[in-house]
Amino acid sequence: MTPEAALGLALDRAREPGLEMPIAAVVIDPAGTVIAHGVNRREADSDPTAHAEILALREAGRVLGDWRLTGCTLAVTLEPCTMCAGAAVLARVDRLVFGAFDDKAGAVGGLWDVVRDPRLNHRVEVVAGVRESECSRLLSAFFGQRR
């Protein structure tokens, strides 16, 4: 599956009505099948770790019956934070595709670059800025309505 198509699937989820935030993630297996998805649920679950990426990675592990997500792609609408970038490394995700950069908390080349740190035992291929303007507009519109 192309990075654009993968990000498109995450964008479809992020556009669903009633979300806490328009941030969504999908995990795609090596065959190109979506095996998991997640949206931010911190408020709904009263869980500071309930980021879209974490929820998608957890579901993917359950689906595959393994914590190692070797060969999988994680696609997310916003650059992952330190926690989510670290989770992608620990899950052994092969590729991370993201849309909008996060200047305040991004850990995949923004403020930090956790997934490509040579001191870690696994590095993730990164495809950054995919459908960036779409992702940025979606987030800007959401926060504009909340102000």
Side-chain angles (χ1 to χ4, degrees):
M1 178 175 299
T2 68
E4 291 77 14
L7 210 290
L9 296 170
L11 270 166
D12 289 345
R13 294 283 306 175
R15 290 185 180 114
E16 292 178 2
L19 298 180
E20 290 178 9
M21 298 183 82
I23 300 172
V26 295
V27 177
I28 300 149
D29 73 7
T33 303
V34 174
I35 58 170
H37 57 84
V39 296
N40 274 27
R41 294 187 46 86
R42 292 183 305 172
E43 297 294 331
D45 295 352
S46 298
D47 180 353
T49 69
H51 290 202
E53 301 94 322
I54 299 296
L55 298 176
L57 292 170
R58 286 178 185 160
E59 183 180 344
R62 283 192 294 274
V63 168
L64 295 176
D66 195 346
W67 63 267
R68 292 173 197 87
L69 304 182
T70 307
C72 291
T73 296
L74 173 63
V76 61
T77 54
L78 181 65
E79 179 183 2
C81 69
T82 307
M83 174 182 67
C84 295
V89 170
L90 293 173
R92 308 296 195 269
V93 168
D94 278 10
R95 181 168 67 162
L96 171 64
V97 176
F98 74 86
F101 286 85
D102 186 350
D103 297 334
K104 295 179 182 170
V108 185
L111 293 177
W112 300 280
D113 199 351
V114 172
V115 298
R116 291 176 285 208
D117 189 318
R119 296 169 294 182
L120 298 175
N121 62 341
H122 178 75
R123 274 167 284 307
V124 178
E125 174 193 349
V126 175
V127 184
V130 176
R131 299 177 75 164
E132 181 179 6
S133 61
E134 277 180 86
C135 293
S136 294
R137 279 194 310 270
L138 185 62
L139 287 160
S140 294
F142 174 81
F143 286 111
Q145 290 174 350
R146 293 189 72 170
R147 292 187 185 120

